[in-house]
Amino acid sequence: MSTKQKSRWADDEEDAVLEAQRKKEKEEKKRAKAEKQRRADEAAALRAAELQGEAAAVADSSNNNTELSSRPAKRRRISPEIEGVKVELPPAKLLRFPSPEWKKCRSVEDYEKLNDIEEGAYGWVSRAKDSRTGNVVALKRLKMDNANDGIPVTGLREIQTLMDCEHPNIVALQEVVVGEDTSKIENIFLVLDFLEHDLKTLLEDMSEPFLTSEIKTLLHQLTSGVSYLHQNWILHRDLKTSNLLLNNRGVLKIADFGMARYFGDPPPKMTQLVVTLWYRAPELLLGAERYGTPVDMWSIGCIFGELLTKEPLLQGKNEVDELSKIFELCGIPTEETWPGFKRLPNARSLRLPQNPVSQGSVLRAKFPFLTKAGSQLLIDLLALNPGKRPSAQEVLEHAFFREEPRMKSAEMFPTFPSKAGQEKRRRRGTPNAPMRGNVPEIKATDFSGIFAGREDEEKGGGFSLKLI
Ligand code: ADP
């Protein structure tokens, strides 16, 4: 018979009493905890009911959100009491944010078309009268691209940049209106201040160029507008005489923001397919992906030259021809005058003459009637090295504007018969701005074929230029 051997750890009576006491304490603790939880739940339920009542009251008083009153309070208050003491919270208030005021676009039908001003390759502008006010405006239909996938980025940028601008030398966008069939994107129109002339048409129709005092007025106004754009981080990227409007009070306004965009510092990578060929800066032609305000300053230089002679300054037939015309007029870039230009994508395969003509001498010879300050301004604006071109602000302060003859005041500016009020404006073979995604990228290799055929011609121009 085996007797159960007593363990060394066997409970004795004292152990049993201790064990019973521990159990009792544990149960008491459990009960207390449960009671605390029950009271907390009760208080939470009470608070939730209060909140619901408050929400209903707010909804009733504002009388514009009936939905709220039936909605339970979403948030459960977790600690309505601290250590058993009920805390009085301030009554909950609903935060109200003002909703943006959406204004429906007016209909294009509110405007009575008077006549077409321009129906270009991919643009359409007409003169129209606001039937409500009788004001005459220019209606410009938003340009389409080939993508067919919504409002083209050029249109969005044109609206965005123009809406952000407010300057006497920038055309004012009054509003955007839509056609009957709003599903059609081509039924979006910009309503712009109407101006009687554009400089291109005016120059074509004038028998004599503008006087120096008038050129100064125009150049100063153009540069004021561009300075405002640059200060507001906007590049226009298509400055040319047909995009400069002039009213009968001698005020010039920059128009056509289809190529404009915001830029930053340092400038982001951007497409080189910008600016109409005759006004395109050499860094763009050489394929620079990062460029900035100097591209607009180059165009201003081209416009300055055009105002002086009535003829576009650099009428290249294609990119290579444009580049060679630039080099003929403005000199050949060297590592000294334009450090690092050889690293630009299209410059790597560029072979240039060993003894280049000095920058400025050809320009001076072409404009002998310009004063020293005037020709220096032109030479500076047409500096091959973008870093050497003056900023718009610097141009505004240039000695050229301070010497005689002084700028003609806008009120004294001559008036011209408006073509825009009559028939469509004519265009004589001016190239258009490049179209997004439509113009093939120009690779250095593409130059070689075209240029090989032009080599002899170029030699006749006083230097030999070769792209291999
Ligand atoms: P696109 O982007 O199609 O080239 P633009 O904005 O350059 O369109 O306008 C084309 C032409 O229409 C201009 O050269 C000018 O003759 C005329 N135009 C544009 N805007 C106005 C305006 N606000 N007032 C008068 N004519 C304008």
Side-chain angles (χ1 to χ4, degrees), residues 35-55:
E35 176 59 17
K36 199 175 169 190
Q37 182 61 49
R38 192 188 59 76
R39 270 190 281 148
D41 285 350
E42 253 179 37
L46 200 73
R47 186 68 195 139
E50 275 173 21
L51 281 174
Q52 211 171 343
E54 279 166 17

Side-chain angles (χ1 to χ4, degrees), residues 123 125 138 140 143 193 195 198 242-243 245 256 425 427:
V125 184
K140 177 175 174 176
K143 264 187 218 167
D193 281 356
L195 281 92
D198 69 76
S242 59
N243 285 341
L245 307 175
D256 195 358
R425 283 176 185 159
R427 288 272 172 262

Side-chain angles (χ1 to χ4, degrees), residues 166-448:
E166 203 183 329
H167 189 273
N169 300 117
I170 292 169
V171 72
L173 172 64
Q174 297 181 5
E175 64 172 329
V176 177
V177 292
V178 289
E180 282 286 275
D181 186 355
T182 46
S183 66
K184 286 195 183 136
I185 289 159
E186 61 266 31
N187 272 345
I188 298 176
F189 303 83
L190 311 188
V191 180
L192 303 154
D193 281 356
F194 170 76
L195 281 92
E196 290 83 357
H197 313 278
D198 69 76
L199 274 189
K200 173 101 199 130
T201 315
L202 214 49
L203 286 168
E204 281 172 358
D205 292 345
M206 286 165 73
S207 51
E208 293 292 317
F210 284 109
L211 300 172
T212 307
S213 58
E214 294 162 354
I215 291 175
K216 283 186 187 178
T217 307
L218 296 172
L219 196 61
H220 200 271
Q221 295 189 53
L222 163 63
T223 314
S224 299
V226 172
S227 170
Y228 172 86
L229 292 179
H230 291 177
Q231 274 169 25
N232 288 284
W233 300 96
I234 297 170
L235 293 177
H236 185 278
R237 305 197 299 179
D238 198 19
L239 293 173
K240 55 178 174 179
T241 43
S242 59
N243 285 341
L244 303 180
L245 307 175
L246 186 72
N247 67 18
N248 270 339
R249 291 172 302 286
V251 179
L252 174 149
K253 290 182 194 270
I254 302 169
D256 195 358
F257 280 60
M259 287 275 149
R261 65 160 285 168
Y262 281 95
F263 67 102
D265 184 18
K269 271 192 180 180
M270 296 178 275
T271 174
Q272 311 116 46
L273 292 175
V274 287
V275 191
T276 301
L277 187 61
W278 295 351
Y279 304 82
R280 199 178 302 165
E283 65 269 29
L284 292 171
L285 291 162
L286 290 175
E289 285 177 324
R290 288 182 200 277
Y291 52 86
T293 53
V295 299
D296 283 342
M297 300 318 293
W298 176 272
S299 306
I300 293 182
C302 297
I303 293 164
F304 184 12
E306 188 169 339
L307 289 173
L308 291 165
T309 61
K310 285 200 325 108
E311 284 296 318
L313 193 59
L314 293 154
Q315 303 183 37
K317 294 188 199 85
N318 50 51
E319 278 76 0
V320 176
D321 191 37
E322 183 68 20
L323 205 51
S324 83
K325 287 202 158 57
I326 289 175
F327 291 161
E328 261 175 77
L329 186 71
C330 309
I332 302 288
T334 64
E335 269 306 304
E336 261 166 40
T337 58
W338 187 358
F341 89 96
K342 277 262 164 74
R343 286 197 296 277
L344 290 174
N346 299 341
R348 287 184 204 119
S349 48
L350 198 68
R351 211 163 65 201
L352 297 166
Q354 294 302 308
N355 302 313
V357 282
S358 79
Q359 286 192 2
S361 58
V362 183
L363 264 171
R364 261 190 217 98
K366 190 173 164 80
F367 300 98
F369 47 87
L370 260 183
T371 62
K372 213 173 150 202
S375 56
Q376 195 54 53
L377 176 59
L378 185 60
I379 290 166
D380 290 348
L381 285 166
L382 296 178
L384 296 172
N385 178 352
K388 294 245 175 88
R389 281 172 227 150
S391 68
Q393 197 52 42
E394 283 163 351
V395 173
L396 291 175
E397 286 151 20
H398 200 274
F400 179 57
F401 295 107
R402 294 197 303 270
E403 68 180 18
E404 294 296 330
R406 295 296 174 109
M407 278 186 274
K408 191 174 262 186
S409 66
E411 306 83 63
M412 298 297 288
F413 218 82
T415 53
F416 307 89
S418 172
K419 280 266 152 68
Q422 306 159 16
E423 73 277 20
K424 269 189 234 171
R425 283 176 185 159
R426 294 157 289 124
R427 288 272 172 262
R428 290 189 205 139
T430 315
N432 287 317
M435 203 170 179
R436 277 175 75 86
N438 221 19
V439 185
E441 286 272 332
I442 299 138
K443 295 190 186 86
T445 46
D446 292 338
F447 283 96
S448 56

Side-chain angles (χ1 to χ4, degrees), residues 100-161:
E101 261 191 49
W102 298 104
K103 267 207 286 180
K104 223 174 122 190
C105 284
R106 285 172 72 201
S107 164
V108 72
E109 304 297 322
D110 292 351
Y111 289 88
E112 181 196 331
K113 182 166 147 183
L114 300 174
N115 61 282
D116 285 330
I117 301 174
E118 174 91 22
E119 202 166 357
Y122 34 89
W124 178 95
V125 184
S126 70
R127 199 168 68 103
K129 193 164 86 176
D130 186 336
S131 326
R132 283 196 320 193
T133 62
N135 287 344
V136 173
V137 297
L139 269 184
K140 177 175 174 176
R141 181 184 285 190
L142 216 63
K143 264 187 218 167
M144 290 296 102
D145 59 17
N146 293 336
N148 245 350
D149 55 358
I151 301 180
V153 70
T154 51
L156 288 174
R157 282 183 181 155
E158 181 160 24
I159 295 175
Q160 186 197 18
T161 47

